[in-house]
Amino acid sequence: MKLAYWMYAGPAHIGTLRIASSFKNVHAIMHAPLGDDYFNVMRSMLERERDFTPVTASIVDRNVLARGSQEKVVENIVRKDQEERPDLIVLTPTCTSSILQEDLANFVQRASLEAKGDVLLADVNHYRVNELQAADRTLQQIVQFYTEKARKQGTLPQGKTEKPSVNIIGLTTLGFHNNHDCRELRTLMAQLGIEVNLVMPDGASVHDIQTMSRAWFNLVPYREVGGLTAEYLHTEFGMPCVNITPMGIVETARCIRAIQAVLNQQGAEVDYEGFIDEQTRFVSQAAWFSRSIDCQNLTGKRAVVFGDSTHAAAMTKILAREMGIKVVLAGTYCKYDADWFTEQVGDFCDEILVSEDNGAIADRIAQLEPAAIFGTQMERHVGKRLDIPCGVIAAPIHIQNFPVGYRPFLGYEGANQIVDLVYNSFTLGMEDHLLEFFGGHDTKEVLTATLSASDELGWSADGMAELQKIPGFVRGKVKRNTEKFAREQGIGQITAEVLYAAKEAVGA
Amino acid sequence: MTLAQSQPNTSALEFDCDTGNYHTFCPISCVAWLYQKIEDSFFLVIGTKTCGYFLQNAMGVMIFAEPRYAMAELEEGDISAQLNDYEELKRLCEGIKRDRNPSVIVWIGTCTTEIIKMDLEGLAPRLEAEIGIPIVVARANGLDYAFTQGEDTVLAAMAQRCPTSEEVTPAEKEERSSIQKLLSFGRKKDDPKKDEHSKDLSTDTAYHDHPPLVLFGSVPDPIVTQMTLELKRQGIKVSGWLPAKRYTELPVIDEGYYVAGINPFLSRTATTLMRRRKCKLIGAPFPIGPDGTRAWVEKICSVFNIEPQGLDEREAKIWESLEDYLQIIRGKSVYFMGDNLLEISLARFLTRCGMTVQEIGIPYMDKRYQAAELALLEKTCNDMGQPLPKITEKPDNYNQIQRIQELRPDLVITGMAHANPLEARGISTKWSVEFTFAQIHGFTNARDILELVTRPLRRNDSLKDLGWEKLVKEEAKV
């Protein structure tokens, strides 16, 4: 047992659901007790999704516990197949089904005899993998399933596309700024003259999977999701994979050069150096920013970085290499991938922390007292408590991290966005000097009386005590309205009863 | 069951039971409001990452305020019994005692502890004796319960911890009596003058002579004050409230005490109080809406043979003050998908407000505990000339959405999973969970309920000329 107040990565089934609900016309059925379909709330709220989330639960209740699911799971799969005609139903195990040890594979087999669509059992174990690992695995499982199916049916297309083309793998629903990144990567590919064969899985149809082999290569922008799929495609079709995250100016260039090498090996004869130079020096603002006077003031400022492997590693490199900021600590919660992370950031920070314990990171931040933090929502709150600014760079995230406006983190526009994020997180240059010089902001105390201070109206102790129970942000309004009410009624002393009478009368 | 009064007949209402494939919060969510209510408690949820993920996401920002709750996250070794449950829990609880020193640790059993049959009820007394902190066990799991029923399981467990008057010394009694304290409004004890005054306030002379009454249900302190004052107007003294602000202030409950529930989802607590503590339950409608509040007060008065004073005028005055909101909803239809068990009371209130209720979905319907509320619903429908709505227990959300598409109600009260998709299809929704977290009890807060109910309608009114009600392309499949 582990005492835990908070967790960075969710349980395994969340990863499977993220993949399933990214596809078009794929439905997930969770084998879970009542209340475990919280994923639907997150998707509907965080992504402000207009459509019903294609996830339902086959409820595990007391009866199931006593007799087993028996026909229930099969019935639910077949019913959903008839109601919505999905291409694929993914039966999703949860922590509960992990320990019930029912033969879900058997249910899937029986259901697939009756269902028109395909049925798959997500191959994830709650106690072994987390959300990210499960997402990676489920995507690979689905890709493999449809590739093999096409091969059996002889519909697997032969050969490559005429022009260079790419599959972009790993963009999912509820991923950190994934929809913006997707648009930015499409733009980048278009600029490089590369056709996007398929984006996986976001918005894709399972029928398209068989065409994946037609792409010249795979691009896996995030470390966490898509790696297994690219590996599978490499083994099956010898497809090369570029898995350099194009985040920050230097890494974007590195990613483009890797693409160039991969294409030229296949006889494309492309040269992207001119494009990289043009973008870096004149189109993107990030390189110019790091030379500008503003950025000088950031030199040597101390920062802490924490997040998933992809974003924490890329951010550490950007801060250290592109902005001259001292990263005193870089960390990730992707413990299962610690070696990769260590290798990536080893040269760019003083200290590495790989931990899933938010308390450990909070303590280290408090000890290090950096000038800014780049982390998850949790680090943002640590920053609030310690009065240190924080830029959010990775999941777990809240609704404000699903902006409506265009905010990619990848590519050249992404680099611009990161510049803004970093710059706004540190106290602005001149303000910083002035604060130091004059010893702080306007410190003159506010001496003006409140609206009611000069009034004769008295609050009885019980009235005051009751008023104190009202949440701070509306207390002032309630106080004013109550006093107005008391004045109108000719009441001199405001008691708790007067307070509530006022509420009843005027909705104070 | 020994109810204080005989049960009204509610046979005319139509009850249906569907598949139970519906969306609701897991009952462990009750820790979010109970840890705030019971200030010296610590809630330990013994479950998996799934439980933890739900709590941290559902509770949003509260999680960052160093809450007095945590997960005891079960690992593979716990599931396969390679680790010893008792030793593991002891290690964790000792840590909690060291760091937080709570007056009670509440263990919340989950689906996983049920399935692996971890004997929490058996382990708790042993550990309690060893570490010297009371451990209360509540099995608030998704196998058996929905959302607010979580509170019911906790309060049912707490009911057994309430002392009898023999167990407490007179000095302690004073200490425990949180209602007395409430009436003295938190004045400091060390101020003798004020202390005297507080005694004046709570002298028994203002009260009728009636057997002790204890109310149950966790509500914010302002509502405790309001409801206590409401009964005080009738000369009825509230001797205690389950739960109190602190675990150490749990009310005295002796055999023969009267108890009344404030929320519709507290049937286990009611049963426990009747069967285990030999209390008499006053089966009343719940004080939600002015009609409900009036019926609740009246029923309590009638059990004590007290003639209620001034309730007519009071109720009328509240209704009068609601008129601006009533104009918005009168004649409109409302559909409850059902997820928090407040549905019957809210539907009854909204019917009285002039709305047509098309369906009342509800997770679980205790016809005995809610008997008086059901009777009032039926009477209200008759009074208002409305057909009796169908009550769907264990609803099926998919079927409900088909019906909603057909009926096109003016307002759907539903969970967040369906709210945005329905709005995109031009159907106004109100998020049901807000009714659980808003102050909705008593005369005073009737306006707050209508504030919630009318908000989508008022919003739509301000946007009505823009012409973009439906924001999905085809009539999408559900």
Side-chain angles (χ1 to χ4, degrees):
Chain A
M1 264 179 228
K2 195 168 84 177
L3 194 65
Y5 292 90
W6 210 70
M7 68 182 86
Y8 285 100
H13 70 265
I14 298 286
T16 296
L17 298 181
R18 277 176 57 188
I19 296 299
S21 59
S22 296
F23 279 107
K24 265 196 302 221
N25 212 25
V26 169
H27 200 102
I29 294 183
M30 303 168 66
H31 186 240
L34 196 64
D36 274 2
D37 58 352
Y38 191 70
F39 177 80
N40 297 29
V41 177
M42 290 179 61
R43 181 145 188 272
S44 178
M45 277 192 80
L46 297 177
E47 298 220 308
R48 281 175 221 93
E49 183 54 57
R50 299 173 197 217
D51 281 320
F52 293 96
T53 304
V55 174
T56 39
S58 175
I59 305 278
V60 176
D61 58 14
R62 225 4 110 178
N63 292 330
V64 169
L65 220 54
R67 306 179 300 134
S69 294
Q70 296 187 341
E71 299 304 313
K72 201 171 176 181
V73 175
V74 178
E75 273 165 20
N76 277 318
I77 294 174
V78 173
R79 178 186 159 187
K80 197 45 72 183
D81 181 66
Q82 285 164 357
E83 282 169 356
E84 309 211 12
R85 293 260 166 258
D87 297 323
L88 169 68
I89 290 177
V90 180
L91 182 61
T92 310
T94 60
C95 58
T96 306
S97 50
S98 274
I99 40 176
L100 282 179
Q101 297 189 328
E102 288 194 84
D103 192 358
L104 295 180
N106 175 29
F107 295 157
V108 162
Q109 206 178 3
R110 278 168 51 203
S112 52
L113 295 176
E114 262 185 80
K116 290 233 162 43
D118 297 309
V119 190
L120 260 183
L121 172 65
D123 174 30
V124 293
N125 180 331
H126 175 91
Y127 293 95
R128 303 272 166 87
V129 296
N130 70 16
E131 168 186 355
L132 302 168
Q133 294 161 292
D136 200 14
R137 169 75 185 117
T138 303
L139 182 58
Q140 185 258 327
Q141 200 188 346
I142 293 176
V143 167
Q144 180 171 356
F145 178 82
Y146 280 98
T147 306
E148 281 170 7
K149 190 178 169 187
R151 179 170 287 147
K152 237 178 261 163
Q153 293 173 343
T155 54
L156 210 55
Q158 297 298 313
K160 300 285 170 192
T161 55
E162 198 176 322
K163 282 190 192 165
S165 63
V166 60
N167 297 315
I168 305 177
I169 303 175
L171 296 153
T172 67
T173 185
L174 287 175
F176 182 71
H177 291 240
N178 273 18
N179 48 348
H180 308 298
D181 284 347
C182 181
R183 187 171 139 196
E184 184 63 20
L185 289 175
R186 278 177 181 278
T187 308
L188 184 63
M189 291 306 127
Q191 287 168 334
L192 297 175
I194 299 171
E195 281 174 0
V196 175
N197 186 52
L198 205 58
V199 171
M200 255 300 125
D202 202 23
S205 156
V206 289
H207 300 308
D208 300 337
I209 288 175
Q210 56 181 336
T211 66
M212 283 184 95
S213 60
R214 284 178 54 78
W216 290 34
F217 71 104
N218 295 312
L219 175 63
V220 180
Y222 308 117
R223 174 77 189 162
E224 290 77 18
V225 182
L228 286 178
T229 306
E231 226 171 84
Y232 167 76
L233 292 170
H234 182 254
T235 331
E236 283 298 302
F237 305 105
M239 291 176 78
C241 166
V242 173
N243 58 4
I244 299 164
T245 304
M247 184 169 152
I249 292 286
V250 178
E251 290 297 291
T252 302
R254 210 157 72 82
C255 176
I256 294 173
R257 288 195 182 105
I259 291 172
Q260 176 179 295
V262 157
L263 293 183
N264 286 341
Q265 269 169 17
Q266 298 175 62
E269 289 176 32
V270 289
D271 180 6
Y272 293 139
E273 288 305 328
F275 172 78
I276 294 171
D277 185 60
E278 171 79 6
Q279 285 287 335
T280 305
R281 291 200 296 142
F282 304 112
V283 181
S284 159
Q285 298 297 311
W288 158 235
F289 171 82
S290 54
R291 293 294 301 186
S292 72
I293 294 296
D294 269 342
C295 195
Q296 257 184 34
N297 288 332
L298 299 183
T299 307
K301 290 236 183 197
R302 302 163 76 248
V304 166
V305 179
F306 194 83
D308 59 17
S309 304
T310 303
H311 292 90
M315 202 63 198
T316 303
K317 291 181 199 168
I318 293 170
L319 293 173
R321 192 161 57 184
E322 297 177 24
M323 294 183 176
I325 290 163
K326 189 172 173 58
V327 180
V328 287
L329 178 133
T332 180
Y333 53 82
C334 297
K335 268 175 92 168
Y336 63 94
D337 201 19
D339 292 345
W340 180 86
F341 184 78
T342 310
E343 180 219 313
Q344 290 291 307
V345 302
D347 297 336
F348 299 104
C349 64
D350 298 350
E351 182 185 333
I352 294 171
L353 178 65
V354 179
S355 172
E356 291 171 328
D357 175 8
N358 65 293
I361 295 112
D363 288 350
R364 213 51 206 119
I365 291 173
Q367 288 155 2
L368 291 166
E369 292 187 81
I373 309 165
F374 298 93
T376 70
Q377 277 292 337
M378 187 38 119
E379 283 68 47
R380 190 172 75 84
H381 282 266
V382 171
K384 256 189 186 168
R385 219 176 299 159
L386 298 172
D387 207 15
I388 301 170
C390 178
V392 175
I393 56 149
I397 38 182
H398 284 332
I399 195 153
Q400 66 263 39
N401 303 112
F402 289 89
V404 177
Y406 188 47
R407 302 255 190 288
F409 269 66
L410 303 187
Y412 287 108
E413 178 54 27
N416 290 344
Q417 296 290 338
I418 292 168
V419 163
D420 283 342
L421 179 75
V422 171
Y423 190 60
N424 293 339
S425 297
F426 287 98
T427 321
L428 302 179
M430 203 44 122
E431 191 187 355
D432 198 12
H433 288 304
L434 290 174
L435 282 175
E436 226 165 89
F437 199 63
F438 292 111
H441 276 294
D442 187 4
T443 52
K444 200 172 150 229
E445 272 183 65
V446 180
L447 295 172
T448 48
T450 60
L451 276 177
S452 57
S454 57
D455 214 295
E456 276 98 300
L457 274 177
W459 283 76
S460 74
D462 64 337
M464 208 35 125
E466 215 49 29
L467 182 68
Q468 292 308 319
K469 288 182 195 161
I470 290 157
F473 61 94
V474 288
R475 199 181 295 144
K477 182 184 158 219
V478 172
K479 183 160 184 265
R480 278 196 302 282
N481 286 347
T482 308
E483 286 172 354
K484 186 170 160 239
F485 170 81
R487 237 175 266 129
E488 283 165 7
Q489 301 285 314
I491 298 168
Q493 169 97 347
I494 299 176
T495 60
E497 282 177 287
V498 174
L499 177 80
Y500 290 122
K503 184 174 187 216
E504 286 165 21
V506 295
Chain B
M1 243 189 236
T2 48
L3 282 175
Q5 299 243 315
S6 64
Q7 313 243 346
N9 183 15
T10 57
S11 56
L13 285 160
E14 186 196 339
F15 293 92
D16 196 5
C17 188
D18 212 335
T19 63
N21 280 329
Y22 63 103
H23 169 77
T24 183
F25 273 14
C26 174
I28 59 172
S29 52
C30 68
V31 305
W33 64 87
L34 287 175
Y35 91 79
Q36 298 202 9
K37 174 71 191 179
I38 309 168
E39 290 171 0
D40 54 352
S41 61
F42 190 99
F43 284 79
L44 185 67
V45 182
I46 304 162
T48 62
K49 257 188 187 313
T50 307
C51 313
Y53 196 67
F54 162 71
L55 273 179
Q56 90 179 35
N57 283 297
M59 299 316 133
V61 292
M62 282 198 285
I63 200 97
F64 301 110
E66 297 220 12
R68 292 183 317 280
Y69 71 76
M71 291 294 307
E73 194 184 312
L74 300 169
E75 291 165 303
E76 208 163 8
D78 298 303
I79 304 301
S80 53
Q82 284 164 345
L83 298 166
N84 179 305
D85 298 339
Y86 183 77
E87 291 304 322
E88 291 295 299
L89 283 167
K90 186 179 156 198
R91 182 170 57 79
L92 263 42
C93 288
E94 277 173 342
I96 292 166
K97 184 186 178 186
R98 192 177 56 238
D99 296 344
R100 311 271 174 152
N101 196 26
S103 306
V104 62
I105 297 177
V106 183
W107 285 353
I108 303 287
T110 62
C111 304
T112 310
T113 57
E114 288 295 312
I115 295 169
I116 64 174
K117 300 200 170 20
M118 193 184 279
D119 181 21
L120 297 178
E121 275 95 347
L123 297 173
R126 271 172 67 201
L127 192 55
E128 182 171 314
E130 199 170 332
I131 66 169
I133 293 180
I135 295 173
V136 172
V137 180
R139 301 190 191 180
N141 63 69
L143 294 169
D144 300 304
Y145 305 108
F147 195 11
T148 49
Q149 288 181 291
E151 174 180 321
D152 194 24
T153 62
V154 174
L155 295 189
M158 291 251 176
Q160 311 214 43
R161 300 297 184 117
C162 291
T164 60
S165 51
E166 282 163 15
E167 286 164 6
V168 288
T169 63
E172 259 182 345
K173 217 175 199 168
E174 191 70 23
E175 177 72 20
R176 273 181 191 275
S177 179
S178 60
I179 300 299
Q180 303 302 320
K181 267 200 208 153
L182 258 167
L183 286 173
S184 62
F185 292 100
R187 278 193 205 93
K188 292 227 170 65
K189 271 217 147 155
D190 51 7
D191 186 341
K193 202 174 145 200
K194 282 192 172 167
D195 206 30
E196 232 167 76
H197 182 57
S198 78
K199 267 183 195 144
D200 279 345
L201 252 179
S202 55
T203 42
D204 292 353
T205 50
Y207 296 111
H208 290 285
D209 189 23
H210 63 80
L213 170 69
V214 172
L215 301 179
F216 58 95
S218 162
V219 283
D221 296 334
I223 293 190
V224 171
T225 313
Q226 289 163 18
M227 302 314 288
T228 308
L229 286 172
E230 207 61 66
L231 290 175
K232 191 183 168 203
R233 286 173 185 223
Q234 305 299 338
I236 293 169
K237 183 177 169 181
V238 178
S239 351
W241 202 300
L242 173 70
K245 265 177 91 69
R246 302 177 64 80
Y247 178 77
T248 50
E249 292 168 356
L250 278 179
V252 168
I253 295 179
D254 282 340
E255 191 173 331
Y257 275 27
Y258 280 77
V259 291
I262 197 161
N263 270 324
F265 45 78
L266 298 171
S267 47
R268 280 176 70 90
T269 310
T271 311
T272 307
L273 288 167
M274 285 190 291
R275 292 199 184 146
R276 311 287 293 256
R277 306 305 303 254
K278 310 280 181 248
C279 294
K280 292 178 182 139
L281 175 70
I282 301 176
F286 301 98
I288 292 168
D291 50 342
T293 309
R294 181 211 170 131
W296 185 74
V297 174
E298 269 178 351
K299 184 63 187 286
I300 294 172
C301 285
S302 82
V303 169
F304 292 145
N305 286 320
I306 294 166
E307 185 69 33
Q309 302 295 318
L311 275 180
D312 268 338
E313 302 79 51
R314 188 148 166 71
E315 192 195 347
K317 219 168 159 198
I318 297 291
W319 282 113
E320 209 175 289
S321 72
L322 300 178
E323 186 52 33
D324 52 339
Y325 279 155
L326 294 179
Q327 280 175 7
I328 301 172
I329 55 172
R330 214 169 266 144
K332 297 252 171 29
S333 54
V334 58
Y335 189 108
F336 287 87
M337 284 186 75
D339 71 346
N340 60 17
L341 286 96
L342 294 172
E343 291 89 1
I344 302 287
S345 308
L346 288 171
R348 178 259 304 150
F349 169 52
L350 293 180
T351 306
R352 179 62 70 181
C353 289
M355 293 187 90
T356 305
V357 179
Q358 292 175 326
E359 180 175 330
I360 307 174
I362 187 167
Y364 169 72
M365 180 75 246
D366 186 335
K367 288 183 196 162
R368 297 165 99 179
Y369 176 63
Q370 293 223 43
E373 184 63 270
L374 286 166
L376 184 58
L377 170 68
E378 199 177 333
K379 178 177 178 297
T380 305
C381 289
N382 292 336
D383 288 354
M384 301 301 290
Q386 290 285 354
L388 293 176
K390 189 177 78 172
I391 297 170
T392 309
E393 208 180 344
K394 288 168 155 284
D396 183 294
N397 280 169
Y398 181 86
N399 295 339
Q400 285 186 316
I401 284 165
Q402 308 303 314
R403 294 200 287 271
I404 287 170
Q405 303 269 37
E406 261 167 52
L407 295 164
R408 299 207 69 86
D410 294 308
L411 183 67
V412 175
I413 295 178
T414 180
M416 202 45 117
H418 298 112
N420 270 338
L422 284 172
E423 289 284 350
R425 283 155 185 77
I427 292 173
S428 299
T429 60
K430 184 75 223 138
W431 188 28
S432 54
V433 172
E434 285 187 71
F435 292 102
T436 341
F437 294 132
Q439 302 192 1
I440 61 170
H441 295 85
F443 285 121
T444 317
N445 298 300
R447 210 179 159 77
D448 294 45
I449 306 177
L450 291 187
E451 166 71 26
L452 289 176
V453 171
T454 58
R455 193 174 296 154
L457 303 169
R458 285 179 286 130
R459 193 268 318 267
N460 291 353
D461 196 47
S462 30
L463 306 183
K464 68 171 184 269
D465 298 327
L466 296 172
W468 56 54
E469 271 168 30
K470 273 194 196 167
L471 294 152
V472 281
K473 277 194 181 144
E474 70 274 46
E475 191 59 289
K477 298 181 299 177
V478 194

